Amino acid sequence: MSIVAIVGRPNVGKSTFFNRLIQRREAIVDSVSGVTRDRHYGKTDWNGKEFSVIDTGGYVRGSDDIFEEQIDRQVELAIDEADAIIFMVDVEAGVTGMDEDVATLLRRQSKPVFLAVNKVDNAMRADDAVEFYSLGLGEYYTIASISGSGTGELLDALVEVLSEKVEEEESILPRFAVVGRPNAGKSSFINALIGEDRYIVTDIAGTTRDAIDTKYNRFGFEFNLVDTAGIRRKSKVKEDLEFYSVMRSVRAIEHCDVCLLVVDATRGFDGQVQNIFWLAERNRKGIVILINKWDLVEKENKTMREFEKYIRTQIEPFTDVPIVFISALTKQRVYKAIETAVKVYESRSKRIKTSELNDYMLPLIEATPPPATKGKYIKIKYCMQLPTPHPQFAFFCNLPQYVKDPYKRFIENKLREAFDFEGVPIAVYFRKK
């Protein structure tokens, strides 16, 4: 899937445009804010073509922000990761020095750049937009993020240049992505597996740009291990490690089957890690949480139990996730981590016979029916698993609109108890009989 980055200086309306873009169609999968300050990422589609969108936020040169090394660091990262770039400027402010700095960076590379002149909500401002030709980026698109004026023309042009992501033959193998914050030990985990085991066949270029797939065979199970760590030297990333990590994680997560989320035990399960976790959950990927560097933590009798309990409170209501405490340095439990990932993959691929599903669920539903709403009783007659890559279930009833979220969670929990979906997000739908 293609990635589109929205870049520009602060206060030009990038976030407004981003919010309008991901809400324009109902194919929204994810929208998470606050990864690092005001950055956002999500998924949408236009004219039937899906793509991920990154709102890169904006920097002010010379501010006392901890990321003050100039705006060009973030723009360079966006250029590095994205397949196309929307460069947004403000017609009210005209061409500024920071606009010129960003334009200079964008002119040096070959990726498609779309210059979007925002806040053009009348004919007079449309005339004012002519000065942006001076940025040397060719044609521009006049838009108004608040009203949506002009965004259709911009998106039409955008999707025309987004190439279809063609899956390579190797992609039929299951894909396990190792994701997490920088310095959490992702590279060490990969190296521990590769250095100890000699079942590796070959290194291939992955179907997602710049991710590296290692074909791996262990436990009689062959899969692609997707390494999102060590692809760039950290000296090149400098201050913007958080944004860099998210860009990598977005691409890797969208193209994998199971996410191995590596957490630095000395830093804890912080907001950055949680955002990556929820991105995987919203994309319906299998998840295994690996607590790395466990050998560095001072431990008492209940340390592991308390740490695990804390993590599960942070990921509620999706608490049915395996947590493995490892040390990539000493290779403690690294193979158990892979065994667990294989089990999660098999659970995610599980197909339950319709007769078996109904034999279990219908008596349970009859004993614990949905609460009546407005004096109307909900009767569930039939259920089935939908033919999708990840577990989704449809329950057919007379009044699906009255089934509330607490009852959906009750049904989900019963499905987990009976059919073992540990580490696998599942979706439950109620439909009209």
Side-chain angles (χ1 to χ4, degrees):
M1 183 175 298
S2 299
I3 289 182
V4 176
I6 308 172
V7 303
R9 62 179 180 77
N11 302 319
V12 296
K14 297 186 305 298
S15 294
T16 304
F17 177 71
F18 170 85
N19 290 335
R20 171 167 290 279
L21 183 59
I22 66 168
Q23 294 170 8
R24 180 172 294 279
R25 297 299 177 102
E26 296 197 0
I28 303 166
V29 174
D30 188 34
S31 174
V32 181
S33 64
V35 176
T36 53
R37 303 302 174 88
D38 61 343
R39 301 182 187 98
H40 308 263
Y41 51 100
K43 189 189 295 183
T44 187
D45 76 283
W46 184 260
N47 290 344
K49 183 172 291 188
E50 286 191 348
F51 54 95
S52 293
V53 192
I54 308 285
D55 172 15
T56 61
Y59 296 161
V60 178
R61 182 173 295 182
S63 74
D64 57 1
D65 194 290
I66 60 171
F67 303 110
E68 62 181 7
E69 268 302 307
Q70 301 180 351
I71 192 172
D72 60 354
R73 169 54 54 193
Q74 186 171 342
V75 175
E76 285 173 0
L77 288 173
I79 291 172
D80 230 13
E81 296 301 310
D83 299 291
I85 297 167
I86 297 175
F87 174 28
M88 189 165 289
V89 293
D90 181 354
V91 72
E92 291 181 347
V95 177
T96 68
M98 269 195 275
D99 291 334
E100 292 174 344
D101 290 340
V102 176
T104 299
L105 290 171
L106 295 176
R107 287 196 303 268
R108 292 174 185 164
Q109 51 80 48
S110 58
K111 294 181 181 180
V113 177
F114 297 86
L115 178 59
V117 184
N118 193 25
K119 304 181 185 179
V120 179
D121 49 14
N122 58 55
M124 185 177 298
R125 288 187 171 180
D127 293 338
D128 293 340
V130 174
E131 69 170 303
F132 289 96
Y133 273 121
S134 65
L135 294 176
L137 294 172
E139 294 292 331
Y140 59 82
Y141 296 84
T142 56
I143 67 170
S145 294
I146 293 179
S147 67
S149 173
T151 56
E153 291 80 359
L154 171 60
L155 294 175
D156 285 344
L158 174 68
V159 297
E160 281 186 13
V161 305
L162 295 181
S163 61
E164 296 291 343
K165 295 292 179 180
V166 180
E167 298 291 330
E168 296 182 8
E169 186 176 350
E170 272 74 6
S171 67
I172 63 174
L173 292 176
R175 306 186 75 217
F176 296 170
V178 182
V179 297
R181 285 190 63 151
N183 300 319
K186 299 185 295 295
S187 290
S188 298
F189 174 73
I190 296 289
N191 290 337
L193 291 170
I194 293 174
E196 180 73 16
D197 191 88
R198 297 302 175 189
Y199 288 97
I200 300 162
V201 179
T202 182
D203 288 338
I204 59 172
T207 56
T208 55
R209 185 176 62 83
D210 288 333
I212 299 198
D213 285 14
T214 299
K215 191 183 292 184
Y216 193 87
N217 191 319
R218 189 169 177 81
F219 317 114
F221 188 84
E222 192 174 21
F223 56 89
N224 281 335
L225 193 61
V226 185
D227 181 8
T228 61
I231 301 172
R232 293 280 191 277
R233 293 197 308 274
K234 292 181 176 60
S235 62
K236 283 190 174 182
V237 183
K238 295 183 180 176
E239 293 79 6
D240 216 352
L241 289 170
E242 314 302 332
F243 177 61
Y244 179 84
S245 175
V246 170
M247 294 283 279
R248 293 288 182 197
S249 298
V250 169
R251 189 181 288 277
I253 287 171
E254 287 178 346
H255 294 84
C256 77
D257 298 295
V258 178
C259 290
L260 295 163
L261 176 56
V262 181
V263 181
D264 184 342
T266 64
R267 299 182 68 174
F269 199 73
D270 58 17
Q272 169 78 9
V273 178
Q274 291 175 38
N275 277 313
I276 297 174
F277 173 87
W278 289 116
L279 176 62
E281 189 274 339
R282 288 183 176 93
N283 276 274
R284 303 297 181 188
K285 307 299 182 179
I287 303 173
V288 180
I289 298 175
L290 306 182
I291 309 301
N292 190 30
K293 306 183 185 179
W294 191 239
D295 55 314
L296 301 181
V297 175
E298 293 186 10
K299 292 176 277 292
E300 298 178 355
N301 290 340
K302 297 182 180 179
T303 303
M304 182 181 290
R305 191 181 310 164
E306 292 297 326
F307 201 103
E308 181 174 336
K309 181 180 178 182
Y310 170 74
I311 291 174
R312 296 198 189 280
T313 61
Q314 298 303 306
I315 61 177
E316 289 178 346
F318 180 33
T319 58
D320 189 20
V321 178
I323 300 174
V324 183
F325 291 80
I326 69 170
S327 170
L329 184 64
T330 65
K331 298 184 174 62
Q332 182 184 28
R333 302 191 191 95
V334 293
Y335 298 120
K336 178 177 174 58
I338 293 298
E339 288 177 342
T340 304
V342 170
K343 181 182 176 184
V344 169
Y345 172 79
E346 292 172 344
S347 296
R348 186 173 184 264
S349 309
K350 185 183 301 182
R351 299 292 306 169
I352 301 171
K353 293 181 180 179
T354 301
S355 58
E356 182 183 357
L357 185 64
N358 281 271
D359 288 345
Y360 174 77
M361 292 302 300
L362 292 185
L364 189 150
I365 290 170
E366 186 176 353
T368 314
T373 302
K374 299 179 181 179
K376 297 180 180 180
Y377 293 89
I378 302 164
K379 296 181 180 180
I380 300 172
K381 300 293 185 181
Y382 176 76
C383 58
M384 64 177 292
Q385 184 176 358
L386 300 176
T388 54
H390 51 84
Q392 298 188 74
F393 298 88
F395 289 76
F396 297 90
C397 60
N398 58 335
L399 298 168
Q401 67 273 25
Y402 292 140
V403 180
K404 305 300 182 184
D405 285 342
Y407 195 78
K408 291 180 181 179
R409 286 195 292 271
F410 166 76
I411 292 294
E412 177 182 337
N413 290 336
K414 292 302 179 182
L415 287 168
R416 292 186 180 280
E417 288 176 12
F419 302 108
D420 187 16
F421 285 110
E422 185 182 28
V424 182
I426 62 177
V428 175
Y429 303 100
F430 287 83
R431 295 179 175 175
K432 183 74 173 178
K433 172 66 177 175

